[in-house]
Amino acid sequence: MTPSEARARDAADPLRTYRDAFHIPDGVIYLDGNSLGPLPRTTPAALADLAERQWGDRLIRSWNEGWIEAPRRVGAKIARLIGASKDEVIVADSTSVNLFKLLVAALRHASPRGTILSETGNFPTDLHIAEGAVGCVPGSRLHAVARNQLATSLDGETALLMLTHVHYKTSQRFDMSAWSAKARENGALTLWDLSHSVGAIPIDLNGAGADMAVGCGYKYLNGGPGAPAFLYVSKRLQEMLASPLSGWMGHAAPFGFADAYAPAPGMTRWLAGTPPMLGMAALEAGLDIWRDVDQQQVAVKSAALFDTLAAIGRNAGLDCVSPADPARRGSHISFRHPDAYAICQALIDRGVIGDFRDPDILRFGLTPLYLGFADVVRAGEILCEIVASGAYRDPAYQARNAVT
Ligand SMILES: *Cc1c(COP(=O)(O)O)cnc(C)c1O
């Protein structure tokens, strides 16, 4: 695609106006929105309102003026992005903590089955938290296998299949319906990590028959650094699972101040402590941008941006490790190169922010709301120049190789 073809594509793009909803610094082509989404233009005012009016003026009265409802209200805004009903999603804690709550709850529910089956090379926190969760439930264990061993590893011991929908390095996507059905046939539950798919590709948890899910607020949802995360539990399971972090905000009557714990009905039981309202306000501002977005348009544009960068990478001789079929990938593209780290540093120096994933992956997030074809073509040109000229061999870019 030539730069003028790219500009024509951008002019005809039905999503082009969303770019104005974000602050993208001058001179930067941001290809890392899958790791930290950029600042929505409405967020500073939302945070100022929370601090000055809601906290400053309204003080504790704000709990009855929208704060106490925030985890459910914001959860409902996520629900429509993931094919869930609004009372199946709640916002709380971090993705890691939500994984822990659901894993322990599911293991206790599924006993005597005791195995969490997952994939080696899954996002690190998923496996680390699973290790911690099995340590809390006697008779349980974590079994992580290569992707091509998953199907044959599902057995009568499997309590739960825990998969990350879109892989953070390769962008490979699991077929959620097929794997949910496979797990169900084997009597196992499913838990999906949507961190790299929510806001990137259409998701239909209900349609796929998924049991549980978690996901991240600060990537494609643009909720800000360390934004609160979310969790989903299918209605058919909600009253059968209980959070091991049985805090007062998940109590059936938190202001009854009883000594004994009784879980709230529905999703509220997954709250442990008081909702973090500063983070919640920023996440809600990010989510409000999504209100009228057509997710099919996002998927179509994501696929086209990917194909554009894939073609440029191919011409530069880079080895693309992400699937060619749009239905089998997320919204980021990864290339393998032995000097990936140095190339990434050289790109950042030229205003192209992507990232490096150990040991040899160059990863670029393609976020259709604020990235255009001209951005991707320009980033591709710079990438080709760096690779062809060997500029990345400059010792200034090689620091990591010097220490490892
Ligand atoms: C980003 C990401 C997380 C993040 O977890 P935190 O608790 O927010 O640090 C978890 N899982 C996956 C798959 C991710 O991509």
Side-chain angles (χ1 to χ4, degrees):
M1 190 182 292
T2 65
S4 70
E5 284 165 353
R7 282 192 298 275
R9 284 292 286 269
D10 286 337
D13 173 10
L15 297 172
R16 68 188 174 284
T17 55
Y18 287 101
R19 186 189 190 92
D20 295 334
F22 296 92
H23 174 71
I24 309 288
D26 287 341
V28 166
I29 299 177
Y30 195 57
L31 303 178
D32 220 349
N34 55 331
S35 203
L36 175 64
L39 175 69
R41 287 195 189 277
T42 48
T43 300
L47 285 170
D49 180 69
L50 191 116
E52 291 163 8
R53 186 182 61 83
Q54 299 177 44
W55 178 15
D57 294 337
R58 299 304 297 161
L59 288 162
I60 201 164
R61 292 170 288 187
S62 282
W63 283 113
N64 292 326
E65 297 169 359
W67 286 0
I68 206 80
E69 280 306 312
R72 286 169 289 272
R73 180 180 70 245
V74 182
K77 294 179 182 189
I78 295 170
R80 51 174 296 277
L81 298 175
I82 58 178
S85 16
K86 57 186 190 320
D87 55 358
E88 290 179 313
V89 181
I90 199 158
V91 172
D93 304 312
S94 62
T95 306
S96 300
V97 172
N98 289 335
L99 273 167
F100 179 82
K101 291 184 289 191
L102 289 176
L103 286 171
V104 171
L107 284 171
R108 288 179 176 160
H109 171 72
S111 173
R113 287 174 177 244
T115 304
I116 299 175
L117 178 62
S118 192
E119 184 190 14
T120 49
N122 195 347
F123 192 81
T125 206
D126 297 59
L127 295 175
H128 301 337
I129 290 286
E131 218 179 286
V134 301
C136 297
V137 182
S140 64
R141 69 207 72 80
L142 169 63
H143 187 40
V145 300
R147 186 166 292 214
N148 62 10
Q149 304 288 307
L150 281 169
T152 52
S153 301
L154 268 171
D155 62 24
E157 289 291 299
T158 312
L160 177 77
L161 178 63
M162 176 185 78
L163 297 176
T164 296
H165 189 207
V166 168
H167 195 276
Y168 74 106
K169 273 189 189 169
T170 63
S171 198
Q172 284 171 297
R173 185 199 313 188
F174 281 105
D175 180 335
M176 189 185 279
S177 294
W179 282 96
S180 297
K182 241 183 277 240
R184 198 165 44 245
E185 283 156 22
N186 279 275
L189 298 169
T190 45
L191 197 175
W192 294 93
D193 188 331
L194 306 177
S195 294
H196 272 283
S197 38
V198 61
I201 53 172
I203 300 167
D204 186 4
L205 289 171
N206 284 171
D211 292 314
M212 290 166 281
V214 296
C216 186
Y218 52 78
K219 291 172 178 165
Y220 292 92
L221 300 184
N222 310 304
F230 66 89
L231 44 85
Y232 155 90
V233 178
S234 161
K235 228 173 266 172
R236 45 175 200 281
L237 278 170
Q238 282 183 5
E239 304 310 314
M240 294 183 232
L241 302 180
S243 175
L245 300 184
S246 44
W248 73 311
M249 283 291 152
H251 194 284
F255 299 99
F257 302 108
D259 285 346
Y261 179 75
M267 292 304 288
T268 302
R269 64 182 58 189
W270 300 101
L271 300 180
T274 305
M277 286 313 303
L278 288 160
M280 198 73 83
L283 175 61
E284 190 163 18
L287 280 165
D288 282 340
I289 296 172
W290 285 96
R291 195 172 39 213
D292 305 315
V293 172
D294 178 336
Q295 293 214 76
Q296 286 307 325
Q297 287 177 351
V298 172
V300 167
K301 184 174 169 188
S302 159
L305 291 172
F306 183 108
D307 292 340
T308 305
L309 194 52
I312 296 169
R314 222 171 10 250
N315 291 340
L318 291 171
D319 171 21
C320 180
V321 299
S322 304
D325 175 0
R328 300 182 56 198
R329 67 190 189 218
S331 199
H332 62 274
I333 183 168
S334 294
F335 298 103
R336 181 167 280 139
H337 192 287
D339 286 307
Y341 176 81
I343 293 171
C344 188
Q345 295 305 305
L347 281 168
I348 291 170
D349 231 28
R350 306 250 336 243
V352 178
I353 303 181
D355 61 19
F356 162 74
R357 284 293 174 267
D358 212 42
D360 56 1
I361 297 284
L362 255 178
R363 188 181 75 168
F364 303 110
L366 302 168
T367 48
L369 292 192
Y370 49 85
L371 262 187
F373 290 90
D375 297 319
V376 166
V377 166
R378 182 64 194 137
E381 278 172 2
I382 294 171
L383 173 63
C384 290
E385 280 169 30
I386 289 169
V387 172
S389 68
Y392 61 87
R393 295 202 183 88
D394 183 328
Y397 300 134
Q398 299 276 340
R400 177 182 167 274
N401 294 343
V403 292
T404 56

